Each structure stands twice: as structure tokens, then as C-alpha cells.
Short mmCIF file of all heavy atoms in Angstrom, two decimals:
data_model
loop_
_atom_site.label_atom_id
_atom_site.label_comp_id
_atom_site.label_asym_id
_atom_site.label_seq_id
_atom_site.Cartn_x
_atom_site.Cartn_y
_atom_site.Cartn_z
N ARG E 1 -0.39 -0.62 -21.02
CA ARG E 1 -0.51 -2.07 -21.22
C ARG E 1 -1.89 -2.48 -21.73
O ARG E 1 -2.11 -3.65 -22.03
CB ARG E 1 -0.23 -2.80 -19.91
CG ARG E 1 1.11 -2.54 -19.28
CD ARG E 1 2.22 -3.22 -20.02
NE ARG E 1 3.49 -3.13 -19.29
CZ ARG E 1 4.66 -3.46 -19.81
NH1 ARG E 1 4.72 -3.93 -21.04
NH2 ARG E 1 5.77 -3.35 -19.11
N LYS E 2 -2.83 -1.52 -21.72
CA LYS E 2 -4.21 -1.79 -22.14
C LYS E 2 -4.84 -2.86 -21.25
O LYS E 2 -5.49 -3.80 -21.72
CB LYS E 2 -4.26 -2.20 -23.60
CG LYS E 2 -3.76 -1.11 -24.55
CD LYS E 2 -3.82 -1.53 -26.00
CE LYS E 2 -3.31 -0.42 -26.90
NZ LYS E 2 -3.31 -0.80 -28.34
N ILE E 3 -4.62 -2.70 -19.93
CA ILE E 3 -5.19 -3.63 -18.97
C ILE E 3 -6.64 -3.23 -18.69
O ILE E 3 -6.92 -2.08 -18.32
CB ILE E 3 -4.37 -3.62 -17.66
CG1 ILE E 3 -2.93 -4.07 -17.94
CG2 ILE E 3 -5.01 -4.51 -16.61
CD1 ILE E 3 -2.00 -3.92 -16.75
N GLN E 4 -7.55 -4.17 -18.85
CA GLN E 4 -8.97 -3.87 -18.68
C GLN E 4 -9.40 -3.97 -17.21
O GLN E 4 -10.23 -3.22 -16.74
CB GLN E 4 -9.81 -4.85 -19.52
CG GLN E 4 -9.52 -4.78 -21.00
CD GLN E 4 -9.76 -3.40 -21.59
OE1 GLN E 4 -10.75 -2.74 -21.26
NE2 GLN E 4 -8.86 -2.95 -22.47
N SER E 5 -8.82 -4.93 -16.48
CA SER E 5 -9.19 -5.14 -15.07
C SER E 5 -8.02 -4.82 -14.17
O SER E 5 -6.86 -5.02 -14.54
CB SER E 5 -9.62 -6.60 -14.86
OG SER E 5 -9.75 -6.89 -13.49
N ASN E 6 -8.32 -4.30 -12.96
CA ASN E 6 -7.24 -3.98 -12.03
C ASN E 6 -7.16 -5.00 -10.88
O ASN E 6 -6.55 -4.73 -9.86
CB ASN E 6 -7.43 -2.57 -11.46
CG ASN E 6 -8.65 -2.48 -10.55
OD1 ASN E 6 -9.47 -3.38 -10.49
ND2 ASN E 6 -8.77 -1.36 -9.85
N ASN E 7 -7.77 -6.17 -11.05
CA ASN E 7 -7.75 -7.18 -9.99
C ASN E 7 -6.33 -7.63 -9.67
O ASN E 7 -5.97 -7.80 -8.51
CB ASN E 7 -8.61 -8.39 -10.39
CG ASN E 7 -10.10 -8.08 -10.38
OD1 ASN E 7 -10.52 -7.11 -9.74
ND2 ASN E 7 -10.88 -8.87 -11.08
N ARG E 8 -5.55 -7.84 -10.72
CA ARG E 8 -4.16 -8.28 -10.53
C ARG E 8 -3.37 -7.19 -9.80
O ARG E 8 -2.58 -7.48 -8.90
CB ARG E 8 -3.54 -8.60 -11.87
CG ARG E 8 -2.06 -8.94 -11.86
CD ARG E 8 -1.79 -10.29 -11.25
NE ARG E 8 -0.44 -10.74 -11.56
CZ ARG E 8 0.15 -11.77 -10.96
NH1 ARG E 8 -0.50 -12.45 -10.03
NH2 ARG E 8 1.37 -12.13 -11.29
N THR E 9 -3.57 -5.95 -10.19
CA THR E 9 -2.87 -4.83 -9.54
C THR E 9 -3.23 -4.77 -8.06
O THR E 9 -2.35 -4.63 -7.20
CB THR E 9 -3.23 -3.51 -10.22
OG1 THR E 9 -2.91 -3.59 -11.62
CG2 THR E 9 -2.46 -2.35 -9.60
N LYS E 10 -4.50 -4.88 -7.74
CA LYS E 10 -4.93 -4.83 -6.35
C LYS E 10 -4.35 -5.99 -5.55
O LYS E 10 -3.91 -5.82 -4.41
CB LYS E 10 -6.46 -4.86 -6.27
CG LYS E 10 -7.00 -4.72 -4.84
CD LYS E 10 -8.50 -4.70 -4.81
CE LYS E 10 -9.02 -4.44 -3.40
NZ LYS E 10 -8.46 -5.36 -2.38
N GLU E 11 -4.33 -7.16 -6.16
CA GLU E 11 -3.76 -8.33 -5.50
C GLU E 11 -2.29 -8.10 -5.14
O GLU E 11 -1.83 -8.43 -4.04
CB GLU E 11 -3.88 -9.55 -6.43
CG GLU E 11 -3.18 -10.80 -5.93
CD GLU E 11 -2.97 -11.82 -7.03
OE1 GLU E 11 -3.76 -11.84 -8.00
OE2 GLU E 11 -1.99 -12.58 -6.93
N LEU E 12 -1.52 -7.51 -6.07
CA LEU E 12 -0.10 -7.25 -5.83
C LEU E 12 0.10 -6.16 -4.78
O LEU E 12 1.00 -6.25 -3.93
CB LEU E 12 0.58 -6.86 -7.15
CG LEU E 12 0.71 -8.00 -8.17
CD1 LEU E 12 1.01 -7.44 -9.56
CD2 LEU E 12 1.81 -8.98 -7.76
N LEU E 13 -0.73 -5.12 -4.83
CA LEU E 13 -0.64 -4.05 -3.83
C LEU E 13 -0.89 -4.61 -2.43
O LEU E 13 -0.19 -4.27 -1.47
CB LEU E 13 -1.64 -2.94 -4.14
CG LEU E 13 -1.33 -2.07 -5.37
CD1 LEU E 13 -2.53 -1.20 -5.70
CD2 LEU E 13 -0.10 -1.21 -5.13
N ASP E 14 -1.88 -5.50 -2.33
CA ASP E 14 -2.19 -6.12 -1.03
C ASP E 14 -1.06 -7.04 -0.57
O ASP E 14 -0.69 -7.04 0.60
CB ASP E 14 -3.50 -6.90 -1.12
CG ASP E 14 -4.72 -6.01 -1.28
OD1 ASP E 14 -4.60 -4.79 -1.01
OD2 ASP E 14 -5.79 -6.51 -1.69
N ARG E 15 -0.53 -7.81 -1.50
CA ARG E 15 0.54 -8.75 -1.16
C ARG E 15 1.74 -8.04 -0.57
O ARG E 15 2.35 -8.50 0.40
CB ARG E 15 0.96 -9.53 -2.41
CG ARG E 15 2.10 -10.53 -2.16
CD ARG E 15 2.64 -11.10 -3.47
NE ARG E 15 1.73 -12.02 -4.09
CZ ARG E 15 1.88 -13.33 -4.11
NH1 ARG E 15 2.92 -13.89 -3.50
NH2 ARG E 15 1.01 -14.11 -4.74
N PHE E 16 2.09 -6.89 -1.16
CA PHE E 16 3.29 -6.17 -0.71
C PHE E 16 2.95 -5.00 0.23
O PHE E 16 3.81 -4.16 0.51
CB PHE E 16 4.09 -5.68 -1.92
CG PHE E 16 4.73 -6.81 -2.67
CD1 PHE E 16 4.18 -7.30 -3.83
CD2 PHE E 16 5.88 -7.41 -2.18
CE1 PHE E 16 4.75 -8.36 -4.52
CE2 PHE E 16 6.47 -8.46 -2.85
CZ PHE E 16 5.90 -8.95 -4.03
N GLU E 17 1.71 -4.97 0.70
CA GLU E 17 1.28 -3.99 1.69
C GLU E 17 1.67 -2.57 1.27
O GLU E 17 2.26 -1.80 2.04
CB GLU E 17 1.87 -4.33 3.07
CG GLU E 17 1.45 -5.69 3.58
CD GLU E 17 2.07 -6.04 4.93
OE1 GLU E 17 2.64 -5.14 5.58
OE2 GLU E 17 2.00 -7.21 5.32
N LEU E 18 1.33 -2.23 0.05
CA LEU E 18 1.73 -0.95 -0.52
C LEU E 18 0.53 -0.01 -0.67
O LEU E 18 -0.44 -0.32 -1.37
CB LEU E 18 2.39 -1.16 -1.89
CG LEU E 18 2.76 0.11 -2.66
CD1 LEU E 18 3.80 0.94 -1.89
CD2 LEU E 18 3.28 -0.23 -4.05
N ASP E 19 0.61 1.12 -0.02
CA ASP E 19 -0.32 2.23 -0.25
C ASP E 19 0.36 3.15 -1.26
O ASP E 19 1.29 3.87 -0.93
CB ASP E 19 -0.62 2.97 1.05
CG ASP E 19 -1.63 4.10 0.87
OD1 ASP E 19 -1.93 4.45 -0.30
OD2 ASP E 19 -2.10 4.65 1.88
N ALA E 20 -0.10 3.09 -2.51
CA ALA E 20 0.58 3.78 -3.60
C ALA E 20 0.12 5.21 -3.80
O ALA E 20 0.48 5.85 -4.80
CB ALA E 20 0.40 2.99 -4.90
N ARG E 21 -0.65 5.76 -2.86
CA ARG E 21 -1.21 7.10 -3.06
C ARG E 21 -0.20 8.22 -2.81
O ARG E 21 -0.44 9.38 -3.18
CB ARG E 21 -2.43 7.29 -2.16
CG ARG E 21 -3.61 6.40 -2.57
CD ARG E 21 -4.77 6.50 -1.59
NE ARG E 21 -4.41 5.94 -0.27
CZ ARG E 21 -5.25 5.88 0.75
NH1 ARG E 21 -6.48 6.36 0.63
NH2 ARG E 21 -4.86 5.35 1.90
N SER E 22 0.94 7.90 -2.22
CA SER E 22 1.94 8.93 -1.94
C SER E 22 2.66 9.36 -3.22
O SER E 22 2.72 8.62 -4.21
CB SER E 22 2.98 8.40 -0.96
OG SER E 22 2.39 8.03 0.26
N LYS E 23 3.22 10.57 -3.18
CA LYS E 23 4.06 11.03 -4.28
C LYS E 23 5.31 10.14 -4.37
O LYS E 23 5.91 9.81 -3.35
CB LYS E 23 4.50 12.48 -4.05
CG LYS E 23 3.39 13.51 -4.19
CD LYS E 23 3.18 13.90 -5.65
CE LYS E 23 2.26 15.11 -5.75
NZ LYS E 23 2.03 15.50 -7.15
N LEU E 24 5.68 9.79 -5.57
CA LEU E 24 6.85 8.93 -5.76
C LEU E 24 8.12 9.55 -5.19
O LEU E 24 8.96 8.86 -4.63
CB LEU E 24 7.02 8.62 -7.25
CG LEU E 24 6.00 7.61 -7.81
CD1 LEU E 24 5.93 7.71 -9.32
CD2 LEU E 24 6.35 6.19 -7.39
N LYS E 25 8.24 10.86 -5.29
CA LYS E 25 9.46 11.51 -4.81
C LYS E 25 9.57 11.47 -3.29
O LYS E 25 10.67 11.65 -2.74
CB LYS E 25 9.52 12.96 -5.31
CG LYS E 25 8.43 13.87 -4.79
CD LYS E 25 8.58 15.25 -5.40
CE LYS E 25 7.45 16.19 -4.99
NZ LYS E 25 7.58 17.51 -5.64
N LYS E 26 8.47 11.19 -2.61
CA LYS E 26 8.49 11.11 -1.15
C LYS E 26 8.59 9.67 -0.65
O LYS E 26 8.67 9.44 0.56
CB LYS E 26 7.24 11.77 -0.57
CG LYS E 26 7.19 13.27 -0.79
CD LYS E 26 5.97 13.89 -0.13
CE LYS E 26 5.94 15.40 -0.33
NZ LYS E 26 4.74 16.02 0.31
N MET E 27 8.57 8.73 -1.58
CA MET E 27 8.61 7.32 -1.19
C MET E 27 10.03 6.89 -0.83
O MET E 27 11.02 7.37 -1.40
CB MET E 27 8.08 6.43 -2.32
CG MET E 27 6.59 6.48 -2.51
SD MET E 27 6.07 5.26 -3.74
CE MET E 27 4.29 5.51 -3.73
N SER E 28 10.12 5.92 0.08
CA SER E 28 11.41 5.31 0.41
C SER E 28 11.85 4.41 -0.73
O SER E 28 11.07 4.09 -1.64
CB SER E 28 11.28 4.48 1.69
OG SER E 28 10.42 3.36 1.46
N LYS E 29 13.11 3.97 -0.66
CA LYS E 29 13.64 3.04 -1.67
C LYS E 29 12.78 1.78 -1.73
O LYS E 29 12.45 1.29 -2.82
CB LYS E 29 15.08 2.70 -1.30
CG LYS E 29 15.68 1.48 -2.00
CD LYS E 29 15.86 1.68 -3.48
CE LYS E 29 16.60 0.51 -4.10
NZ LYS E 29 16.60 0.54 -5.57
N GLY E 30 12.41 1.25 -0.56
CA GLY E 30 11.61 0.03 -0.54
C GLY E 30 10.24 0.22 -1.16
O GLY E 30 9.75 -0.67 -1.87
N MET E 31 9.61 1.36 -0.89
CA MET E 31 8.29 1.62 -1.47
C MET E 31 8.37 1.75 -2.98
O MET E 31 7.52 1.23 -3.71
CB MET E 31 7.68 2.88 -0.85
CG MET E 31 7.24 2.71 0.59
SD MET E 31 6.47 4.23 1.25
CE MET E 31 4.93 4.27 0.31
N LYS E 32 9.39 2.46 -3.46
CA LYS E 32 9.56 2.58 -4.91
C LYS E 32 9.79 1.21 -5.55
O LYS E 32 9.30 0.93 -6.65
CB LYS E 32 10.73 3.51 -5.22
CG LYS E 32 10.46 4.97 -4.93
CD LYS E 32 11.67 5.83 -5.28
CE LYS E 32 11.40 7.30 -5.02
NZ LYS E 32 12.59 8.14 -5.32
N GLN E 33 10.55 0.36 -4.85
CA GLN E 33 10.79 -0.99 -5.37
C GLN E 33 9.49 -1.77 -5.48
O GLN E 33 9.27 -2.50 -6.46
CB GLN E 33 11.78 -1.73 -4.46
CG GLN E 33 12.43 -2.95 -5.10
CD GLN E 33 13.42 -2.58 -6.18
OE1 GLN E 33 13.94 -1.45 -6.22
NE2 GLN E 33 13.70 -3.50 -7.08
N LYS E 34 8.63 -1.61 -4.50
CA LYS E 34 7.32 -2.28 -4.54
C LYS E 34 6.50 -1.79 -5.74
O LYS E 34 5.83 -2.58 -6.42
CB LYS E 34 6.56 -2.05 -3.25
CG LYS E 34 7.14 -2.75 -2.03
CD LYS E 34 6.34 -2.40 -0.79
CE LYS E 34 6.93 -2.99 0.47
NZ LYS E 34 6.11 -2.67 1.66
N VAL E 35 6.53 -0.49 -5.99
CA VAL E 35 5.81 0.05 -7.15
C VAL E 35 6.35 -0.59 -8.43
O VAL E 35 5.58 -0.98 -9.32
CB VAL E 35 5.94 1.59 -7.22
CG1 VAL E 35 5.36 2.12 -8.54
CG2 VAL E 35 5.25 2.25 -6.05
N GLY E 36 7.68 -0.71 -8.51
CA GLY E 36 8.30 -1.34 -9.68
C GLY E 36 7.88 -2.79 -9.84
O GLY E 36 7.66 -3.27 -10.97
N ILE E 37 7.79 -3.51 -8.74
CA ILE E 37 7.37 -4.91 -8.79
C ILE E 37 5.94 -5.02 -9.29
O ILE E 37 5.62 -5.84 -10.17
CB ILE E 37 7.52 -5.57 -7.40
CG1 ILE E 37 9.00 -5.72 -7.04
CG2 ILE E 37 6.83 -6.93 -7.36
CD1 ILE E 37 9.25 -6.13 -5.59
N VAL E 38 5.05 -4.19 -8.74
CA VAL E 38 3.65 -4.21 -9.18
C VAL E 38 3.55 -3.90 -10.67
O VAL E 38 2.84 -4.58 -11.42
CB VAL E 38 2.80 -3.23 -8.35
CG1 VAL E 38 1.38 -3.15 -8.91
CG2 VAL E 38 2.77 -3.65 -6.88
N ALA E 39 4.29 -2.89 -11.11
CA ALA E 39 4.26 -2.50 -12.53
C ALA E 39 4.75 -3.62 -13.44
O ALA E 39 4.26 -3.79 -14.55
CB ALA E 39 5.09 -1.24 -12.74
N ALA E 40 5.73 -4.40 -12.97
CA ALA E 40 6.31 -5.47 -13.78
C ALA E 40 5.37 -6.67 -13.91
O ALA E 40 5.33 -7.33 -14.95
CB ALA E 40 7.64 -5.91 -13.19
N PHE E 41 4.60 -6.94 -12.84
CA PHE E 41 3.77 -8.16 -12.81
C PHE E 41 2.29 -7.90 -13.09
O PHE E 41 1.53 -8.85 -13.30
CB PHE E 41 3.89 -8.84 -11.45
CG PHE E 41 5.20 -9.57 -11.24
CD1 PHE E 41 6.33 -8.89 -10.80
CD2 PHE E 41 5.29 -10.94 -11.45
CE1 PHE E 41 7.53 -9.56 -10.59
CE2 PHE E 41 6.48 -11.62 -11.24
CZ PHE E 41 7.61 -10.93 -10.80
N MET E 42 1.84 -6.64 -13.12
CA MET E 42 0.41 -6.32 -13.13
C MET E 42 -0.30 -6.78 -14.39
O MET E 42 -1.51 -7.05 -14.38
CB MET E 42 0.23 -4.81 -12.94
CG MET E 42 0.80 -3.97 -14.06
SD MET E 42 0.87 -2.19 -13.65
CE MET E 42 -0.84 -1.77 -13.60
N HIS E 43 0.40 -6.89 -15.52
CA HIS E 43 -0.24 -7.30 -16.77
C HIS E 43 -0.08 -8.79 -17.05
O HIS E 43 -0.36 -9.27 -18.14
CB HIS E 43 0.28 -6.47 -17.94
CG HIS E 43 1.77 -6.52 -18.13
ND1 HIS E 43 2.65 -6.11 -17.16
CD2 HIS E 43 2.54 -6.93 -19.18
CE1 HIS E 43 3.89 -6.26 -17.60
NE2 HIS E 43 3.84 -6.76 -18.80
N ASP E 44 0.39 -9.53 -16.02
CA ASP E 44 0.52 -10.99 -16.09
C ASP E 44 1.34 -11.43 -17.29
O ASP E 44 0.90 -12.27 -18.10
CB ASP E 44 -0.88 -11.63 -16.14
CG ASP E 44 -0.86 -13.09 -15.70
OD1 ASP E 44 0.11 -13.50 -15.03
OD2 ASP E 44 -1.81 -13.82 -16.04
N PRO E 45 2.57 -10.90 -17.44
CA PRO E 45 3.38 -11.23 -18.62
C PRO E 45 3.90 -12.66 -18.57
O PRO E 45 4.09 -13.23 -17.49
CB PRO E 45 4.53 -10.23 -18.54
CG PRO E 45 4.68 -9.97 -17.07
CD PRO E 45 3.29 -10.00 -16.52
#
């Protein structure tokens, strides 16, 4: 997305209480959904 700042990403991670450091294959359905939400909104479309 060529995002220069990660402030928006951090804000979304905090909002959804997501620690994204785990392997995706070990994440629960809900955690993966949170990753998807952050990815969708992080570039402020």
C-alpha cells in the first residue's frame, strides 16, 4: 500500500486488542479476522 506511517495500524491493533506476532496458521478464527480488519482499514481507504 506504500504506507509511510504505521500510526493507523497501531491504533487498529490496540482497538481490537490484537497481538499480531503469532504465526497466522496458529491463530484462531477470531484473531485471523482481526488481522483482516486491520489490513482492510490500515491505509485509510
Side-chain angles (χ1 to χ4, degrees):
R1 302 287 188 191
K2 298 180 180 178
I3 298 173
Q4 300 301 318
S5 170
N6 68 349
N7 289 340
R8 174 71 165 167
T9 303
K10 184 178 185 307
E11 173 197 332
L12 290 164
L13 289 170
D14 290 344
R15 179 190 288 255
F16 290 100
E17 300 178 13
L18 175 62
D19 182 348
R21 292 175 294 181
S22 300
K23 289 276 191 180
L24 286 161
K25 64 182 176 183
K26 293 183 179 180
M27 286 187 179
S28 66
K29 164 67 174 170
M31 289 182 69
K32 288 180 179 178
Q33 197 71 21
K34 291 178 184 181
V35 172
I37 291 170
V38 174
F41 285 84
M42 64 192 292
H43 57 300
D44 201 19

